[in-house]
C-alpha cells in the first residue's frame, strides 16, 4: 500500500527506520523526512491510476506513510476545492486569483491533514498517548483524531488561545493545560511534564516526521486540480511551515514520478508583522530565523516565534524564487471583511493575511495579472468569531 522505505535527516542525511516511533534525527536533532521508493512507484502509481479514485487525500496513499489501510483514522478528509474570487481578484488586478479552501476539512482547518497522518501512523506503531503544544487549530485536530483512534491526547495551549480551540479539544476528551505566554512557552511546559510522563509521544510540528506527509497532500491535490501544470505563485500563511515545506517536498516527488516538469511555483511565505521571524530572516537573506520576542497577532495560527524547521521554510522560499512578506493585523481584519463582502467567503485571519500580502507583491511587478496565483485559506472564519464585530 505504501512505497515508504525509510526516514532521512533533512540536514545530515542519516537514515532511520520507519517501523518504530521516530522523532528527530538521532545524530543531529533536525527534522526527519519520509522517503519512498519512487523508481518502483513510477511504474505502477501513475497519474492515470488516480482517475476515478475516491475524492479524498487518501488517493495518494502509495506515497503516504501508512502501511495498512485499517490504521487510517479518517474523519472524511475531502480534496479541498479551488474557488475563484472574480470580484476581489479583478479589483486587485489579478483575474486569475484562486483560493484553495482548507476550511472545509474536518475540524475546520488544514491541521486535519497533518494530524490525521500523525495519529494514523501513531496507531500503526502502537503509540497509546500523544502530546502537543499548539497555537490553536492543531489542538482541535489532534483531539479529534486521537479520540477517533482511542489514543490519549495531552494538549498545551497559550491561555489566550481562541476559546473554540480550547473547547473543541475538551469536547473530544483531551487533557488540556493552559499556559501563560505563546506556543513556545506551551512547549516548554509540555517538556517539563514529559520528564515524568515518559510515555507521551511528542507530535510537535516537524519533530515528528508524518504531519509533514499529511500536509504534503496539498501539493499533490494542486497538481491534479491544475492538470499537472502548477500555478505560477502559491501564497501561504506561515507558522511552523509544515504546509509550505510539505508542498515543496511533494513537487519534488511528483517530478521524480514523471508527473510534472521542473517548473515550480514561486512560494510566498506570509506572516503577521506582530510575529514575523521568517520575514525578518528573509529580509536579511539568512538560512535560519531568530526567536521573535513578544509575539502578538490575532492570526493565532501564525503566532510561532521560532519555527523548528525554519531552515526548510527559507530554503523552499529561496529556491522557488519567492518572497516572505509581513502584513499588519489591521490589514488582516480589513481583508476578512473585504473578501466576505465581495465573495461571500468568511475566511480565517491567517488566510486573510495571505490575501493581504498580494497588495505588496503587485506594485513592483513581483506578480502580474498574467499569473495564476493560489492563496491558501487555511481555516474557516467561523472558528474566529472574536475577529469580527456584531
Ligand atoms: C497552523 C496554522 C497555520 C500555519 O501553518 P504551518 O503549516 O504550521 O505554517 C496557518 N493557518 C492556520 C489557520 C493554522 O491553524
Ligand atoms: Zn541529522
Amino acid at each position: 500500500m505504501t512505497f515508504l522505505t525509510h526516514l532521512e535527516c533533512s540536514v545530515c542525511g542519516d537514515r532511520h527506520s520507519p517501523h518504530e516511533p521516530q522523532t528527530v534525527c538521532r545524530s543531529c536533532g533536525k527534522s526527519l523526512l519520509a522517503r519512498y521508493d519512487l523508481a518502483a512507484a513510477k511504474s505502477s502509481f501513475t497519474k492515470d491510476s488516480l482517475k476515478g479514485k475516491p475524492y479524498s487525500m487518501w488517493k495518494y496513499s502509495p506515497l503516504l506513510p501508512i502501511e495498512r489501510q485499517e490504521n487510517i483514522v479518517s474523519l472524511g478528509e475531502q480534496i479541498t476545492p479551488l474557488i475563484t474570487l472574480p470580484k476581489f481578484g479583478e479589483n486587485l488586478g489579478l483575474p486569475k486569483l484562486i483560493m484553495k479552501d482548507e476550511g472545509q476539512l474536518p475540524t475546520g482547518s488544514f491541521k486535519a491533514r497533518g494530524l490525521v497522518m500523525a495519529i494514523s501512523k501513531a496507531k500503526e506503531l502502537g503509540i497509546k498517548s500523544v502530546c502537543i503544544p499548539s497555537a490553536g487549530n492543531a489542538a482541535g485536530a489532534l483531539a479529534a483524531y486521537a479520540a477517533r483512534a482511542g489514543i490519549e491526547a495531552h494538549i498545551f495551549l497559550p491561555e489566550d488561545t481562541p476559546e473554540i480551540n480550547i473547547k473543541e479539544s475538551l469536547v473530544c476528551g483531551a487533557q488540556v493545560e493552559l499556559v501563560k505566554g505563546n506556543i513556545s512557552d506551551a512547549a516548554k511546559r509540555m517538556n517539563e511534564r514529559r520528564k515524568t510522563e515518559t510515555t507521551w509521544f511528542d507530535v510537535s510540528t516537524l519533530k515528528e516526521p508524518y504531519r509533514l506527509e499529511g500536509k504534503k497532500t496539498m501539493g499533490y491535490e494542486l497538481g491534479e486540480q491544475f492538470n499537472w501544470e502548477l500555478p505560477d505563485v502559491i501564497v501561504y500563511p506561515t507558522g511552523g511551515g509544515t504546509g509550505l515545506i510539505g508542498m515543496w517536498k511533494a513537487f519534488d516527488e511528483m517530478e521524480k514520478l514523471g508527473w510534472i516538469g521542473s517548473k515550480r511555483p514561486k512560494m510566498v511565505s506570509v506572516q503577521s508583522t506582530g510575529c514575523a521571524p521568517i520575514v525578518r530572516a528573509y529580509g536579511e537573506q539568512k538560512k535560519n530565523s531568530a526567536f521573535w520576542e513578544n509575539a502578538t497577532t490575532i492570526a493565532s495560527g501564525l503566532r510561532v516565534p521560532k519555527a523548528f524547521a525554519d531552515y526548510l521554510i527559507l530554503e523552499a522560499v529561496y529556491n522557488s524564487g519567492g518572497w516572505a512578506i509581513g502584513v499588519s493585523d489591521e490589514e488582516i481584519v480589513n481583508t476578512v471583511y473585504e473578501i466576505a463582502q465581495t465573495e461571500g467567503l468568511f475566511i480565517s485571519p491567517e488566510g486573510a493575511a495571505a490575501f493581504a500580502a498580494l497588495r505588496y507583491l503587485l506594485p513592483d511587478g513581483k506578480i502580474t495579472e498574467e499569473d495564476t496565483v493560489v492563496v491558501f485559506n487555511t481555516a474557516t472564519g467561523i472558528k474566529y468569531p472574536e475577529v469580527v464585530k456584531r
Side-chain angles (χ1 to χ4, degrees), residues 66 68-73 117-128 130 145 148-151:
I66 311 303
R68 305 221 315 275
Q69 184 147 11
E70 70 256 29
N71 291 323
I72 295 177
V73 187
M117 203 60 68
I119 289 297
S120 298
K121 195 65 189 179
K123 182 181 169 196
E124 187 155 270
L125 295 169
I127 290 166
K128 299 282 189 280
V130 294
Y145 287 106
R148 181 85 174 178
I151 290 176

Side-chain angles (χ1 to χ4, degrees), residues 9-14 16 25-30 32:
C9 176
S10 57
V11 172
C12 77
D14 201 359
H16 296 64
C25 175
R26 72 171 92 79
S27 310
C28 75
K30 296 294 186 180
L32 296 176

Side-chain angles (χ1 to χ4, degrees), residues 326-365:
V327 298
S328 70
D329 275 11
E330 192 187 345
E331 290 171 295
I332 290 173
V333 177
N334 289 342
T335 306
V336 167
Y337 280 97
E338 204 180 333
I339 291 184
Q341 288 170 12
T342 52
E343 307 289 359
L345 298 163
F346 182 13
I347 64 173
S348 63
E350 294 85 353
F355 280 103
L358 297 172
R359 292 213 162 83
Y360 292 90
L361 292 165
L362 276 157
D364 50 4

Side-chain angles (χ1 to χ4, degrees), residues 293-338:
E293 299 292 342
N294 305 317
T296 53
T297 169
I298 50 155
S300 41
L302 308 185
R303 194 162 60 133
V304 179
K306 165 84 178 153
F308 183 69
D310 52 0
Y311 59 105
L312 295 175
I313 302 172
L314 287 158
E315 199 176 282
V317 171
Y318 294 136
N319 289 346
S320 73
W323 305 276
I325 292 183
V327 298
S328 70
D329 275 11
E330 192 187 345
E331 290 171 295
I332 290 173
V333 177
N334 289 342
T335 306
V336 167
Y337 280 97
E338 204 180 333

Side-chain angles (χ1 to χ4, degrees), residues 110-111 137 215 236-243 301-302 348 350 378-379 384:
F110 73 161
K111 288 296 192 299
N137 289 318
K215 283 269 192 92
Y236 185 86
T238 310
T242 332
L302 308 185
S348 63
E350 294 85 353
T378 46
Y384 301 79

Side-chain angles (χ1 to χ4, degrees), residues 62 99 151 171 230 238 240 294 337 367 383:
M99 172 170 118
I151 290 176
V171 77
L230 294 175
T238 310
N294 305 317
Y337 280 97
I367 58 174
K383 285 190 92 174

